[in-house]
Amino acid sequence: MNKGEIILYQSQDGTTSFDVIVEKETVWLPLDKMAELFQRDKSTISRHIKNVFEEGELDNNSTVANFATVQMEGNRQVERCLEYFNLDVIISVGYRVKSQRGTQFRIWANKILKDYVNVSYANRPCTWNNIQKNSSRF
């Protein structure tokens, strides 16, 4: 993926699709698209995001960015600066939200993580030193 690239996300059931901004080696979504992704209203997603930052799970300065977005307002094209949240925030909210889509997201995320761990450990010897070194990250 290239800097500033926009890719299309489509849910497994095909009911939800939208553009995702790829920038700074991560993906970014605005609040309304996260609400659409997890099938919850914006106030619910906003509350989860607020809690992610208040609880110190993530740092607001490194996970939030403003991007200029062109949108239609009546017959006019208007450029607005919108707040976007990176993949870390999207994942954190995905583990907090209670919805069918949130459940699907958690199943998908757990599978990706499990696959990554299995490949990672398959590619290097499983020694006590490696286990201790990697477990200290949590």
Side-chain angles (χ1 to χ4, degrees):
M1 289 182 274
N2 298 322
K3 180 180 178 181
E5 182 179 1
I6 297 177
I7 60 174
L8 177 71
Y9 164 83
Q10 185 165 356
S11 63
Q12 188 175 8
D13 61 10
T15 60
T16 303
S17 66
F18 46 80
D19 294 337
V20 176
I21 293 177
V22 179
E23 182 83 35
K24 299 178 187 172
E25 299 181 8
T26 189
V27 298
W28 299 84
L29 286 178
L31 181 67
D32 63 327
K33 295 302 179 187
M34 273 207 290
E36 187 178 339
L37 173 64
F38 295 120
Q39 296 179 329
R40 285 290 175 252
D41 59 56
K42 290 194 302 188
S43 65
T44 299
I45 301 302
S46 181
R47 186 182 74 246
H48 286 306
I49 291 170
K50 178 178 166 270
N51 290 338
V52 164
F53 296 133
E54 283 183 356
E55 295 168 8
E57 182 176 340
L58 295 173
D59 176 42
N60 180 307
N61 295 323
S62 61
T63 58
V64 181
N66 290 309
F67 292 105
T69 303
V70 177
Q71 57 191 39
M72 292 298 294
E73 292 182 5
N75 293 334
R76 303 179 308 134
Q77 277 191 341
V78 178
E79 185 175 305
R80 299 266 184 232
C81 195
L82 295 179
E83 200 170 49
Y84 279 70
F85 303 92
N86 79 359
L87 183 59
D88 294 332
V89 176
I90 298 165
I91 289 170
S92 293
V93 169
Y95 274 95
R96 291 168 179 257
V97 72
K98 290 182 174 40
S99 69
Q100 181 63 38
R101 186 65 61 74
T103 300
Q104 292 169 350
F105 175 84
R106 289 187 291 277
I107 291 168
W108 171 82
N110 285 334
K111 181 186 179 317
I112 296 296
L113 182 57
K114 187 176 181 179
D115 290 349
Y116 176 79
V117 168
N118 287 338
V119 167
S120 177
Y121 280 103
N123 290 330
R124 57 179 206 222
C126 186
T127 66
W128 180 247
N129 285 338
N130 283 343
I131 293 170
Q132 283 183 316
K133 189 184 317 176
N134 290 317
S135 66
S136 66
R137 295 181 187 163
F138 298 104

